[in-house]
Amino acid sequence: MDDLESDFNLKVVLVSFKQCLNEKEEVLLEHYLAGWRGLVRFLNSLGAIFSFISKDVVTKLQVMERLCSGPQRDHYSSLQSMVAYEVGNQLVDLERRSRHPDSGCRTVLRLHRALRWLQLFLEGLRTSPEDARTAALCTDSYNASLAAYHPWIIRRAVTVAFCTLPTRKVFLEAMNVGSTEQAVAMLGEALPFIEHVYDISQKLYAEHALLDLP
């Protein structure tokens, strides 16, 4: 696995998500995971505040990398081939975690949910005024995505922690693409690719009734 403590650059994430879809609009897991590694660097660059998400994401990335390099790796080239393989061979726990607690389908679903939160938050950063409160942006994004899957005590701790977030300017500078205006422009280019990958993944999981895996 790449060093997830190294500097983040939004351009790397943009390239990864641009390359994420092939001509059949299949989600290529190699590039999906590379995009996530870049997003983890972004979260880590902001300090411990997002560690509750980034640590879990790193664990999920490690699970997926083992599957993608394991004996059945040919089935893990794309999200579509993975779902077909695992569902077709009953390798997914549909009602409760038992025989297959770390299936690829369950693991990517957790990344998929977190991606929605990040997408909403970054879009909020992109479109908000200079004096926007990042705590409010992040809380709104969290409540519209990940909060539904966390118990009350986690939701409470997370929203309190968000109150210590740095300013919008600090977030945009952490993207390492130049001025805040350049960061906003780069987000405008990157986010449609991230959203498209999310939408295709969401549709695939819905079609196979996998959106509520335990």
Side-chain angles (χ1 to χ4, degrees):
M1 187 177 224
D2 293 346
D3 178 14
L4 295 179
E5 299 299 326
S6 59
D7 287 342
F8 168 78
N9 186 306
L10 185 62
K11 290 179 183 177
V12 176
V13 173
L14 171 60
V15 169
S16 293
F17 279 98
K18 265 187 174 180
Q19 295 175 335
C20 223
L21 300 176
N22 64 14
E23 65 279 359
K24 298 178 183 177
E25 293 215 316
E26 294 171 328
V27 179
L28 303 177
L29 287 174
E30 176 186 356
H31 298 295
Y32 184 84
L33 300 179
W36 254 118
R37 285 194 291 271
L39 291 172
V40 168
R41 290 189 191 96
F42 174 58
L43 296 177
N44 287 345
S45 74
L46 296 164
I49 183 83
F50 290 121
S51 62
F52 78 100
I53 289 179
S54 64
K55 287 180 180 178
D56 186 55
V57 167
V58 168
T59 300
K60 300 295 186 288
L61 292 176
Q62 290 169 342
V63 170
M64 290 309 302
E65 284 164 354
R66 285 196 296 271
L67 292 172
C68 290
S69 61
Q72 301 299 327
R73 57 185 173 274
D74 289 349
H75 296 294
Y76 292 88
S77 59
S78 73
L79 189 60
Q80 286 76 3
S81 64
M82 179 192 78
V83 169
Y85 169 66
E86 291 195 343
V87 171
N89 290 276
Q90 298 181 328
L91 299 174
V92 184
D93 293 334
L94 298 175
E95 296 181 359
R96 62 184 178 86
R97 293 185 75 184
S98 57
R99 294 176 58 200
H100 308 288
D102 292 320
S103 66
C105 287
R106 181 187 187 277
T107 302
V108 171
L109 177 61
R110 270 57 186 178
L111 294 173
H112 175 70
R113 291 170 178 172
L115 187 64
R116 179 62 171 166
W117 162 68
L118 261 179
Q119 175 205 334
L120 292 173
F121 178 49
L122 293 174
E123 180 64 18
L125 286 176
R126 185 184 76 83
T127 59
S128 60
E130 290 184 14
D131 60 351
R133 292 181 59 245
T134 54
L137 293 175
C138 203
T139 299
D140 288 347
S141 302
Y142 176 76
N143 287 339
S145 54
L146 282 176
Y149 308 104
H150 289 163
W152 179 86
I153 193 168
I154 297 294
R155 296 198 303 269
R156 176 64 178 165
V158 166
T159 52
V160 168
F162 286 163
C163 293
T164 65
L165 286 176
T167 63
R168 177 178 181 270
K169 185 173 184 285
V170 169
F171 270 104
L172 294 174
E173 288 175 346
M175 294 175 188
N176 288 327
V177 291
S179 66
T180 55
E181 292 78 11
Q182 288 171 309
V184 166
M186 183 67 72
L187 281 174
E189 188 177 354
L191 284 169
F193 289 101
I194 295 175
E195 183 175 8
H196 193 38
V197 169
Y198 174 88
D199 289 345
I200 289 173
S201 305
Q202 178 79 2
K203 182 180 178 184
L204 176 69
Y205 269 68
E207 287 172 349
H208 290 84
L210 298 174
L211 287 171
D212 296 307
L213 293 179

